[in-house]
Amino acid sequence: SDYLSPSTDAHTVISSTSKEDQVIESWAKFGIDLNQIKSILTKFRTQTEELAQFITEEQRLQLSQDYESKLQKLSEASEELEFPVIIGVKWGGVHHVNRAFRELTCWNGSFPSPPEEGHFPRFFTAKTIETMKPRFIKAFFSPIKKMIADGALVGGKGEEIKGRFAITLKKDVFGLPQIFYFQFIPDELNEEEF
């Protein structure tokens, strides 16, 4: 389904006027306060709703197909990488994590998952999320498409796995972010010899 459609799956942004509150509540369970960015989330939803009024059903279908195709290609490609990858969608939903991520964090959940399940705050330490928050606010409505940030994942035993994130924002034809591609490089690598 498309992020501009009125359905209610994990990729939708228009389905509910309380979507912002649902996301904020799910993250609050992990001690992460997103209230300061509620205005950004509301602006995003409003802008998306306004754009949806000018799109024909044929265009909506094409956008939806392009979106699903991007997600599928990124998910398949991530499985070829030896570094952990998380593919997120708007509102904090997680579409896919690759094998390397599952091995590093001992995660065995299923995907895609809606934002209400709160996977993002489970995967990243609270400090990492607080560090990334201002960067995402800046990137949301600007031409920024990539970021690098130091941070940490939460391992399978609750331990902090420090490293560096390379983050790519895939934006739609309107310049709105639709897919968040996180690649993680742990500080402590078990490098294989060449």
Side-chain angles (χ1 to χ4, degrees):
S1 80
D2 178 48
Y3 57 98
L4 291 175
S5 72
S7 66
T8 57
D9 72 5
H11 309 301
T12 303
V13 296
I14 292 182
S15 64
S16 171
T17 57
S18 66
K19 188 61 119 175
E20 297 90 343
D21 293 327
Q22 291 174 9
V23 172
I24 288 168
E25 286 173 22
S26 71
W27 287 58
K29 293 175 190 171
F30 296 88
I32 299 161
D33 182 10
L34 294 183
N35 278 303
Q36 67 186 30
I37 65 167
K38 185 174 181 176
S39 63
I40 298 289
L41 297 173
T42 301
K43 181 179 176 184
F44 176 76
R45 181 181 45 80
T46 301
Q47 193 171 3
T48 305
E49 288 172 345
E50 289 170 359
L51 289 170
Q53 295 176 30
F54 301 102
I55 296 175
T56 66
E57 276 305 312
E58 186 176 291
Q59 291 169 323
R60 183 173 283 132
L61 180 61
Q62 184 61 52
L63 286 169
S64 179
Q65 290 170 346
D66 292 348
Y67 176 72
E68 293 298 330
S69 176
K70 277 184 194 174
L71 283 173
Q72 182 178 352
K73 287 176 184 174
L74 288 170
S75 298
E76 289 171 1
S78 76
E79 291 300 332
E80 299 298 321
L81 300 175
E82 296 300 323
F83 290 105
V85 170
I86 305 165
I87 300 173
V89 293
K90 289 187 263 344
W91 302 106
V94 177
H95 178 75
H96 180 79
V97 297
N98 72 346
R99 174 193 46 77
F101 177 90
R102 291 188 301 273
E103 288 173 0
L104 182 68
T105 63
C106 301
W107 181 257
N108 61 3
S110 62
F111 296 100
S113 71
E116 301 82 48
E117 290 184 16
H119 287 310
F120 265 105
R122 282 189 185 127
F123 295 156
F124 301 102
T125 64
K127 183 178 178 183
T128 298
I129 291 171
E130 289 301 318
T131 301
M132 286 188 195
K133 219 185 315 185
R135 292 178 175 196
F136 274 99
I137 291 169
K138 184 178 178 183
F140 227 73
F141 294 104
S142 74
I144 295 172
K145 294 181 184 174
K146 60 186 172 190
M147 297 181 274
I148 295 177
D150 291 323
L153 290 174
V154 177
K157 298 175 184 158
E159 75 278 17
E160 189 175 282
I161 304 167
K162 293 183 179 181
R164 192 152 229 218
F165 292 93
I167 307 158
T168 303
L169 284 73
K170 297 291 186 184
K171 297 188 177 189
D172 64 15
V173 295
F174 306 109
L176 296 172
Q178 66 178 173
I179 301 170
F180 303 87
Y181 190 89
F182 295 81
Q183 187 167 1
F184 182 70
I185 298 120
D187 285 346
E188 295 184 23
L189 293 175
N190 295 323
E191 292 187 56
E192 297 176 2
E193 291 188 36
F194 290 96

